[in-house]
């Protein structure tokens, strides 16, 4: 999102909020580093059969992409109409479902050809999107995650996300990882691990230092952590950010259990 940023010492505040709840904190080990297009304003990221599927944002620059993991080369791309600000995306079978920010419309593309198959409407803003094969999970910048039917896109229910009993807002890009929802907290270097049944945060992932600000280019305000993809077959976790020149495969390491 290209939205006004409220600068927060995110991890300190979030960890303080989670302290009484016994929420574990995780750091990371980098297992591999891959090239990433520094012009990609990453909004959605998925992994399937050795390739990354990425949706990017910004008015007039929004795209849908198929990317080679190892080289970072964009193998296939589709420009989104300039009137739309691209947002999160998710793979559903042989389709890619993608959101827009404030246009209240989403698109369904064929995964192989990127051909537009249909569109659907929703209320409010579109931020992040993820799929577990049974449902779609959609964020809108609030503490709510909408659970959608993956075929009709009708809302089935909402998950109210909280940490230590307090609403956790600014939930952005989403990914399903071994039954949990991983959510980027927009504007921070923190990912929340969320129990989809209760909505409670069950872990904080602190990625401070993964890509120092000096390596995030000239637009460091917008070049925030955003983009989570998971290889469920090999249990590999990938993360990147908007306008980041690198994508990382990381292993999580619990450092504190409060």
């Amino acid at each position: 999102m290209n939205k006004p940023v409220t600068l927060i010492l995110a991890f300190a505040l979030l960890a303080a909020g989670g302290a009484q709840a016994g929420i574990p904190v995780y750091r990371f080990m980098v297992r591999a580093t891959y090239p990433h297009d520094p012009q990609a304003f990453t909004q959605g990221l998925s992994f399937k059969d050795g390739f990354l599927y990425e949706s990017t944002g910004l008015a007039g620059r929004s795209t849908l992409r198929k990317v080679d993991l190892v080289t970072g080369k964009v193998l296939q791309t589709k420009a989104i109409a300039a009137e739309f600000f691209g947002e999160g995306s998710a793979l559903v079978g042989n389709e890619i479902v993608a959101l827009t920010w404030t246009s209240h419309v989403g698109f369904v593309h064929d995964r192989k050809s990127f051909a537009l198959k249909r569109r659907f409407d929703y209320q409010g803003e579109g931020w992040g999107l993820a799929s577990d094969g049974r449902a779609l999970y959609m964020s809108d910048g609030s503490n709510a995650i909408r659970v959608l039917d993956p075929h009709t896109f009708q809302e089935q229910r909402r998950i109210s996300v909280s940490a230590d009993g307090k609403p956790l807002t600014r939930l952005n890009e989403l990914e399903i990882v071994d039954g949990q929802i991983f959510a980027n907290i927009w504007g921070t270097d923190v990912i929340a691990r969320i129990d989809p049944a209760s909505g409670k945060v069950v872990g904080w992932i602190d990625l401070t230092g993964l890509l120092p600000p000096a390596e995030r280019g000239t637009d460091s305000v917008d070049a925030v952590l955003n983009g989570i993809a998971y290889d469920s077959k090999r249990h590999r976790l990938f993360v990147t950010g908007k306008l980041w020149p690198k994508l990382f495969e990381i292993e999580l390491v619990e450092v504190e259990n409060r």
Side-chain angles (χ1 to χ4, degrees):
M1 293 78 186
N2 189 19
K3 310 177 181 72
V5 177
T6 301
L7 295 178
I8 296 176
L9 295 175
F11 180 69
L13 294 179
L14 293 175
Q20 297 178 4
I23 301 176
V25 177
Y26 299 83
R27 288 285 286 163
F28 61 90
M29 290 194 300
V30 175
R31 290 300 186 189
T33 303
Y34 305 101
H36 181 253
D37 181 4
Q39 300 302 312
F41 198 79
T42 305
Q43 303 284 50
L45 196 67
S46 302
F47 179 89
K48 186 175 179 66
D49 298 334
F51 301 102
L52 294 165
Y53 293 85
E54 184 174 17
S55 54
T56 72
L58 296 176
R61 290 174 49 187
S62 299
T63 63
L64 190 65
R65 304 173 171 204
K66 179 180 179 180
V67 181
D68 181 77
L69 169 64
V70 175
T71 66
K73 182 179 179 180
V74 178
L75 303 175
Q76 188 175 349
T77 185
K78 180 184 180 71
I80 307 303
E83 64 188 285
F84 299 111
F85 192 117
E87 285 287 349
S89 58
L91 299 178
V92 180
N94 291 319
E95 298 178 331
I96 305 172
V97 183
L99 304 175
T100 59
W101 180 18
T102 58
S103 299
H104 317 296
V105 62
F107 299 102
V108 181
H109 299 270
D110 181 81
R111 181 169 63 87
K112 292 185 178 180
S113 68
F114 282 8
L116 178 63
K117 299 179 69 172
R118 60 192 185 278
R119 55 188 285 171
F120 60 96
D121 299 319
Y122 53 85
Q123 295 184 343
E125 296 185 357
W127 284 41
L129 196 66
S131 171
D132 63 1
R134 299 181 301 276
L136 283 167
Y137 299 82
M138 171 182 167
S139 64
D140 59 14
S142 70
N143 76 310
I145 294 177
R146 310 179 196 187
V147 183
L148 310 178
D149 182 283
H151 305 293
T152 67
F153 308 108
Q154 295 298 307
E155 185 174 325
Q156 299 176 325
R157 63 187 178 95
R158 292 197 178 195
I159 302 169
S160 296
V161 179
S162 64
D164 195 23
K166 301 172 184 177
L168 179 64
T169 62
R170 299 189 298 162
L171 304 174
N172 200 1
E173 216 271 308
L174 308 176
E175 180 73 1
I176 306 300
V177 180
D178 295 336
Q180 294 181 349
I181 302 172
F182 280 30
N184 282 117
I185 310 303
W186 177 65
T188 78
D189 286 336
V190 175
I191 293 173
R193 300 177 64 159
I194 301 164
D195 173 18
S198 66
K200 293 181 179 180
V201 173
V202 294
W204 299 117
I205 302 172
D206 174 19
L207 297 184
T208 302
L210 178 61
L211 186 72
E215 297 185 40
R216 300 188 187 190
T218 57
D219 195 2
S220 59
V221 174
D222 283 332
V224 296
L225 180 76
N226 199 56
I228 311 168
Y230 186 56
D231 175 6
S232 59
K233 292 181 180 179
R234 297 177 58 184
H235 303 285
R236 295 186 295 172
L237 182 63
F238 305 105
V239 294
T240 189
K242 305 173 190 285
L243 310 174
W244 282 24
K246 298 176 182 178
L247 179 142
F248 301 91
E249 177 188 337
I250 61 171
E251 178 181 336
L252 301 183
V253 180
E254 186 173 347
V255 294
E256 191 170 358
N257 197 334
R258 299 175 181 271

